[in-house]
Amino acid sequence: MTREEILATLRATPNRVEASTRGLSPEQRARRRKEGEWSIGEILHHLLIGERDVILPRLRRMLGEDSPVFPSSAPSRTGFAAHPAPGDFAEDLSAFRSVRSQTLAFLDGLGGDDWQRMGTTPTRGALAIEAYAQYLAEHDLEHLAQLRETRVV
């Protein structure tokens, strides 16, 4: 993915989440398609807490520090490692839009060399900001597909 494709994907995700859930009742957003799978509300909450509590703080540290090493988010049960507990869907969507706006402002403000600043994650190893942003865009696409599949209940 090019930087432009990464940023376009990240920009589109909040609207795509909203569009894919439009017209659903709270019960439909809370329903799991199968045992062990996440509901639509849980998917959104996962996107929110992962970016707010893990990804954006890590990106900021990667810019401000020389090659930070990040602890796992699993012990605190936040971020991508967590089993999400959905909150109010409208509040979560609004909060997700807000944190995504912050992430995009951060990425849009990077200089050319800044995209290559490094950090080490427990699951993905050493990554540049650009690779981490691409991972986030790919993660969005995975969960958007999951939303579409979950909607057809």
Side-chain angles (χ1 to χ4, degrees):
M1 249 185 220
T2 66
R3 285 183 194 164
E4 292 75 25
E5 290 169 329
I6 291 167
L7 293 170
T9 298
L10 296 176
R11 280 188 218 300
T13 297
N15 289 338
R16 292 177 72 190
V17 169
E18 183 176 19
S20 70
T21 60
R22 191 172 292 122
L24 295 179
S25 69
E27 294 77 21
Q28 289 170 307
R29 291 190 303 257
R31 187 178 359 194
R32 291 180 175 169
R33 197 168 70 125
K34 295 179 188 171
E35 184 62 34
E37 291 185 1
W38 291 350
S39 69
I40 287 171
E42 289 169 326
I43 294 166
L44 173 60
H45 195 72
H46 167 78
L47 291 170
L48 166 62
I49 63 172
E51 190 158 344
R52 182 192 65 203
D53 298 347
V54 179
I55 299 299
L56 184 55
R58 286 181 178 178
L59 290 172
R60 288 177 172 152
R61 282 189 61 198
M62 290 166 77
L63 182 62
E65 299 175 26
D66 288 329
S67 300
V69 176
F70 306 112
S72 172
S73 63
S76 65
R77 303 300 293 159
T78 62
F80 295 132
H83 180 78
D88 176 88
F89 190 84
E91 287 176 17
D92 278 357
L93 183 57
S94 176
F96 178 61
R97 284 185 183 283
S98 176
V99 73
R100 179 51 58 90
S101 175
Q102 293 171 49
T103 300
L104 287 164
F106 172 86
L107 294 171
D108 286 336
L110 294 176
D113 291 342
D114 293 338
W115 284 88
Q116 300 314 311
R117 303 266 313 162
M118 300 296 290
T120 301
T121 71
T123 56
R124 297 210 166 293
L127 293 174
I129 288 176
E130 186 167 5
Y132 215 156
Q134 179 172 340
Y135 163 71
L136 182 59
E138 291 168 352
H139 181 261
D140 280 7
L141 294 173
E142 286 177 33
H143 283 300
L144 287 166
Q146 186 182 16
L147 283 173
R148 284 189 302 275
E149 292 167 9
T150 302
R151 184 181 168 100
V152 292
V153 173

